């Protein structure tokens, strides 16, 4: 008896490509074809930071307020200029954001963002601050014009220093 898999085929390069693409697509799970999250980078510069204000109730408990201006690279807000403010409560080297918000202005649009979760850890060496790592979540409360596609969207972010008084925020829309 002859095996059904023992078939002689004469095929062209184009039909091989079509066959490989067809086989390849059927091997990809549907979740992999789902829309990828939109990510973008924000290059920032501190424009005004208050020194930590000790709260006086325990060692290392303080608050600080920071202001920054940024340039957006990628995503729906590409080329936009972002300004923002955040207030952080500190317990030693660990900070928890209590308020964070700002506006991104693009050509023909504006987007207001609100951070809902913010955590920062200072990195130390020999008793001195050498940097930080931060992460959090938020949403776009208002977006108009060219920025309208982010209206109501939530995001997560990770931030780290990129130079003196500078930092990068890597943001992913959920």
């Amino acid at each position: 008896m002859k095996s059904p898999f023992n078939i002689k085929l004469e095929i062209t390069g184009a039909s091989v490509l079509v066959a490989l693409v067809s086989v390849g697509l059927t091997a990809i799970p549907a979740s992999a074809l789902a829309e990828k999250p939109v990510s973008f980078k924000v290059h920032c510069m501190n424009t005004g930071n208050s020194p930590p204000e000790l709260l006086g109730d325990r060692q290392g408990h303080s608050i600080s307020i920071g202001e920054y201006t940024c340039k957006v690279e990628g995503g729906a807000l590409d080329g936009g200029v972002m300004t923002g403010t955040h207030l952080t409560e500190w317990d030693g080297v660990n900070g928890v954001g209590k308020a964070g918000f700002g506006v991104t202005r693009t050509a023909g649009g504006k987007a207001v963002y609100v951070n809902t979760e913010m955590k920062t850890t200072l990195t130390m060496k020999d008793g001195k601050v050498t940097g930080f790592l931060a992460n959090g979540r938020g949403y776009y409360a208002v977006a108009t014009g060219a920025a309208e596609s982010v209206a109501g969207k939530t995001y997560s972010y990770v931030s780290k220093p990129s130079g003196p008084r500078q930092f990068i925020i890597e943001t992913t829309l959920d």
Side-chain angles (χ1 to χ4, degrees):
M1 179 172 170
K2 195 172 190 184
S3 166
F5 301 107
N6 203 5
I7 302 171
K8 183 177 178 185
L9 295 175
E10 289 186 32
I11 51 180
T12 66
S15 61
V16 169
L17 179 60
V18 169
L20 289 174
V21 168
S22 297
V23 169
L25 288 177
T26 59
I28 297 173
S31 60
L33 295 176
E35 190 174 319
K36 289 184 178 182
V38 175
S39 296
F40 54 93
K41 288 185 179 183
V42 185
H43 302 271
C44 301
M45 176 169 278
N46 289 318
T47 56
N49 283 334
S50 70
E53 293 180 50
L54 295 175
L55 296 177
D57 60 340
R58 64 182 183 269
Q59 181 71 29
H61 191 210
S62 63
I63 59 170
S64 64
I65 299 172
E67 296 175 338
Y68 46 90
T69 300
C70 313
K71 178 79 170 183
V72 180
E73 177 187 305
L77 304 174
D78 187 44
V81 175
M82 182 174 93
T83 56
T85 301
H86 61 87
L87 183 142
T88 305
E89 176 184 19
W90 295 94
D91 270 315
V93 298
N94 297 307
V96 175
K98 297 301 180 180
F101 56 89
V103 177
T104 302
R105 295 163 179 88
T106 65
K110 290 179 180 53
V112 175
Y113 68 91
V114 177
N115 290 336
T116 56
E117 297 174 29
M118 300 174 284
K119 294 180 182 173
T120 304
T121 301
L122 300 177
T123 53
M124 307 285 288
K125 184 172 183 176
D126 299 324
K128 295 182 181 182
V129 176
T130 58
F132 70 90
L133 295 174
N135 63 67
R137 301 187 56 74
Y139 67 97
Y140 287 97
V142 176
T144 63
E148 189 173 23
S149 67
V150 300
K153 296 213 183 221
T154 59
Y155 58 82
S156 58
Y157 70 87
V158 175
S159 181
K160 60 186 175 186
S162 60
R165 301 181 51 83
Q166 298 176 19
F167 57 99
I168 292 178
I169 306 170
E170 295 178 359
T171 304
T172 302
L173 294 179
D174 298 329

